[in-house]
Amino acid sequence: MQQDSGFVSMRHRLRIAHVITRLINGGADENTVHSCNWAAQRGHDVVLLHGEMVHPEILAKVDPRVELIGVPGLTRSISPVSDVKALLALTRRFRALHADIVHTHTSKAGILGRFAAWKAGVPAIVHGVHIVPFVNVGVAERFAYLALEKLAAPVTSAFISVSEGIRDLCLSAGVGHPDKHYVVHSGFDLDRFRNARPPDDWRDLLRLTPGAPRPPVLLMIAAFEPRKRHTEFLDVFKKVAVRLPDAVLVLAGDGPLRSIVESRAKWLGLERQVVFTGYRDDPERLIALADLCLLCSMREGLPRVVMQYLAGGKPCVACDLPGLREVLRPGINAVITPEHDLAAMADAIAALLEDRERLACLAQGAAATDLSNWDAKLMGKRIDAIYREALDQHRASKGVPTRPPVGNVALPR
């Protein structure tokens, strides 16, 4: 079989097991599903082990060739009894699967999955770092996660971070040796966002009366979770609403805090200016509708949604977080405000909406941003190269000859 066929031969087929705490409509989850699908479509045997929280929308995106296995006790919250149950279940599964690679995702699954894989004797153990769990958290939580990450580092064959900033945070905290760290940006279908059009029912979506002019549209796509700071942002968005009473804020997504955020909007008297869309399977069309896109999270890796905003040709106002400046360029395609100053973010949003010429320049910069590193196919190839490298290192440590390369993809340090 030729190398450019896109498929692996029987001799190079891998048994890959991915592990994630939950499967919801989030960036880490979509990244995991894409990684599974890419490998399965190229002939690898792929298993996705997941925790108890599962959303049907994300399950529908999983390739039928990927085997799905629920893991009892694998939950996001810390629970000693459930955690031990999940650890034992994962260990049994890995032994039965005879996996070549275990690839863990997110913090909780990353800790339990790596220890279970090590206990089961899996040759190569890879951890995907989508977010750093010991940053912008309480002292006790930081200490616990940092201690566990350092404990798991020696059994980790490779770390795959979604941004250089995330990698650097891990290294500065002493998590893992530099030679074990790689950066693979979280890929997606760029053309889907570059060529999108607004929803056909955009007037209904914005609740416009017949003949009403199109208002300025702000968009934030984010799961309704505490670290996304929806409620806190609504408090400062009131300032924007006063300066620009015709502006509409579209909040797309779902999650446990949605009803609380909706109540907050009502309490603030913002029902007319804030639209809740719920989960949408066409985020590219919402981005096409927007004038300006937002991100106000307190913790992130390098969220795919930021690249999706830019791929759609829309500038972004975001709080300053590690990794964002790899792609966001203040004054070129974005405005970056202090991490803990949402009031400054609100001021920046209002100022941009009032200066349409500047907004148009940032939109041009967004459309011109080089996003080639976020191409979905490149992501799959880079991850595959890291798997091969990890397995070669394992074989070398055992005195076993390494296999010939399947392709020629540079390792993304």
Side-chain angles (χ1 to χ4, degrees):
M1 182 176 293
Q2 297 180 359
Q3 290 181 1
D4 62 354
S5 66
F7 294 90
V8 296
S9 65
M10 289 293 294
R11 188 162 61 97
H12 293 111
R13 178 179 292 176
L14 299 177
R15 183 70 167 166
I16 306 167
H18 287 260
V19 189
I20 190 167
T21 310
R22 55 185 185 168
L23 277 174
I24 63 168
N25 301 304
D29 315 73
E30 292 180 357
N31 174 293
T32 301
V33 168
H34 176 77
S35 299
C36 291
N37 291 351
W38 192 92
Q41 289 160 6
R42 276 142 192 84
H44 296 299
D45 297 322
V46 184
V47 178
L48 174 54
L49 299 103
H50 58 84
E52 298 173 355
M53 182 179 290
V54 176
H55 288 180
E57 299 91 350
I58 195 77
L59 281 182
K61 298 178 182 179
V62 179
D63 190 285
R65 288 165 285 197
V66 176
E67 181 182 0
L68 288 163
I69 299 177
V71 180
L74 185 54
T75 60
R76 192 182 189 198
S77 59
I78 296 175
S79 171
V81 174
S82 294
D83 294 345
V84 171
K85 182 179 179 181
L87 179 66
L88 295 174
L90 287 168
T91 304
R92 288 193 298 268
R93 285 291 185 181
F94 293 150
R95 284 174 175 160
L97 291 169
H98 301 290
D100 299 298
I101 302 279
V102 163
H103 188 162
T104 63
H105 304 264
T106 66
S107 305
K108 182 75 171 291
I111 297 296
L112 296 177
R114 280 180 283 169
F115 285 134
W118 171 74
K119 182 73 172 176
V122 175
I125 303 170
V126 176
H127 178 51
V129 190
H130 303 273
I131 191 170
V132 178
F134 47 82
V135 170
N136 286 343
V137 294
V139 175
E141 195 173 357
R142 171 182 167 80
F143 176 82
Y145 270 116
L146 189 54
L148 288 169
E149 286 290 343
K150 288 184 176 181
L151 194 61
V155 305
T156 308
S157 308
F159 296 86
I160 300 180
S161 295
V162 296
S163 74
E164 294 174 7
I166 292 297
R167 175 204 59 195
D168 294 345
L169 282 172
C170 291
L171 290 175
S172 65
V175 177
H177 191 274
D179 288 346
K180 300 291 185 182
H181 281 266
Y182 304 85
V183 175
V184 178
H185 296 105
S186 190
F188 60 97
D189 183 352
L190 293 170
D191 290 338
R192 175 182 171 190
F193 289 82
R194 285 172 174 157
N195 302 321
R197 298 174 63 86
D200 295 335
D201 63 343
W202 67 269
R203 295 188 65 87
D204 293 335
L205 179 70
L206 299 180
R207 302 195 297 261
L208 299 180
T209 57
R214 181 192 180 283
V217 179
L218 302 166
L219 172 67
M220 183 160 66
I221 302 175
F224 284 79
E225 298 179 344
R227 67 184 175 91
K228 303 293 186 176
R229 298 198 288 189
H230 288 87
T231 303
E232 295 90 335
F233 179 71
L234 283 183
D235 290 342
V236 299
F237 177 70
K238 185 74 175 179
K239 297 173 61 177
V240 180
V242 170
R243 288 173 64 174
L244 294 146
D246 59 336
V248 175
L249 170 64
V250 177
L251 297 178
D254 214 336
L257 297 185
R258 179 177 168 183
S259 62
I260 294 175
V261 179
E262 288 179 334
S263 297
R264 187 66 174 177
K266 185 176 182 180
W267 186 85
L268 290 168
L270 295 171
E271 305 104 304
R272 188 183 66 82
Q273 289 182 274
V274 180
V275 173
F276 294 85
T277 71
Y279 169 76
R280 299 270 303 210
D281 61 4
D282 59 348
E284 71 281 1
R285 304 196 77 179
L286 294 180
I287 293 170
L289 174 63
D291 295 290
L292 185 61
C293 297
L294 315 175
L295 180 77
C296 62
S297 308
M298 69 171 67
R299 287 189 297 126
E300 290 284 2
L302 180 51
R304 289 153 54 101
V305 73
V306 169
M307 273 59 67
Q308 291 169 353
Y309 291 159
L310 298 176
K314 300 305 166 70
C316 181
V317 177
C319 296
D320 202 358
L321 294 172
L324 286 183
R325 290 178 186 266
E326 288 178 41
V327 67
L328 294 186
R329 304 284 184 264
I332 303 297
N333 60 17
V335 173
I336 297 179
T337 58
E339 178 183 349
H340 299 294
D341 191 350
L342 291 182
M345 185 179 188
D347 289 337
I349 291 167
L352 266 180
L353 292 182
E354 290 169 342
D355 188 346
R356 304 301 290 189
E357 183 176 347
R358 184 179 173 218
L359 183 62
C361 288
L362 291 180
Q364 291 176 356
T369 303
D370 180 9
L371 297 172
S372 56
N373 278 330
W374 282 267
D375 179 77
K377 294 178 182 178
L378 181 60
M379 170 184 158
K381 291 177 180 178
R382 286 177 168 175
I383 291 175
D384 188 78
I386 293 168
Y387 289 168
R388 303 290 177 178
E389 175 77 3
L391 284 171
D392 282 349
Q393 291 176 357
H394 171 77
R395 294 187 183 103
S397 71
K398 301 296 183 182
V400 179
T402 60
R403 297 181 182 182
V406 178
N408 185 23
V409 178
L411 290 173
R413 293 290 182 182

